[in-house]
Amino acid sequence: QVQLVESGGGLVQAGGSLRLSCAASGRTFSSYGMGWFRQAPGKEREFVATITRGGTITYYADSVKDRFTISRDNAKNTVYLQMKSLKPEDTALYYCAARALGSSKTASDYDYWGQGTQVTVSS
């Protein structure tokens, strides 16, 4: 019903910026809450940011607050994660996720997941 494809990852120096995109297929994109999660090797998947169906309310993990911005363009079926002032500890595989029941900070709540895009921050 919903397919998600992340893009925009890559290698960047500490202090730099990167913008991730998540393109969704399906006619009901605007009815889903969306989230970004990340996972580093040997670590558990952790919450990064979430946004409500209409894009009115957002929430961020403390580790990325004031540096990352989540947004969505429902007309384009796309959600974004703008990352600024990147740190080496931001290095991870970043996943986009969709939830029919609305936004959430809990990974297990989500219904659909993308394949992930790698972000590597060098010092």
Side-chain angles (χ1 to χ4, degrees):
Q1 185 179 116
V2 177
Q3 297 181 48
L4 306 173
V5 180
E6 302 96 332
S7 62
L11 175 64
V12 63
Q13 294 183 7
S17 299
L18 210 58
R19 185 179 72 233
L20 306 184
S21 297
C22 175
S25 64
R27 61 182 178 84
T28 58
F29 174 76
S30 63
S31 69
Y32 289 85
M34 301 295 296
W36 285 97
F37 294 79
R38 66 188 184 185
Q39 187 167 24
K43 308 274 285 186
E44 295 297 311
R45 186 171 300 185
E46 66 174 351
F47 168 76
V48 175
T50 189
I51 188 167
T52 53
R53 290 174 291 178
T56 303
I57 304 172
T58 59
Y59 186 85
Y60 301 91
D62 289 342
S63 59
V64 307
K65 186 175 176 60
D66 299 324
R67 297 189 299 119
F68 290 12
T69 301
I70 186 172
S71 62
R72 68 190 297 163
D73 186 338
N74 287 344
K76 297 181 178 179
N77 278 18
T78 303
V79 63
Y80 305 94
L81 185 68
Q82 179 67 56
M83 305 182 293
K84 299 179 179 179
S85 301
L86 283 162
K87 306 173 180 179
E89 48 263 49
D90 294 319
T91 296
L93 188 64
Y94 283 70
Y95 295 93
C96 173
R99 183 172 184 253
L101 295 180
S103 63
S104 173
K105 297 183 290 183
T106 305
S108 61
D109 285 347
Y110 285 81
D111 303 300
Y112 304 99
W113 292 84
Q115 82 291 341
T117 186
Q118 179 68 38
V119 172
T120 302
V121 184
S122 64
S123 58

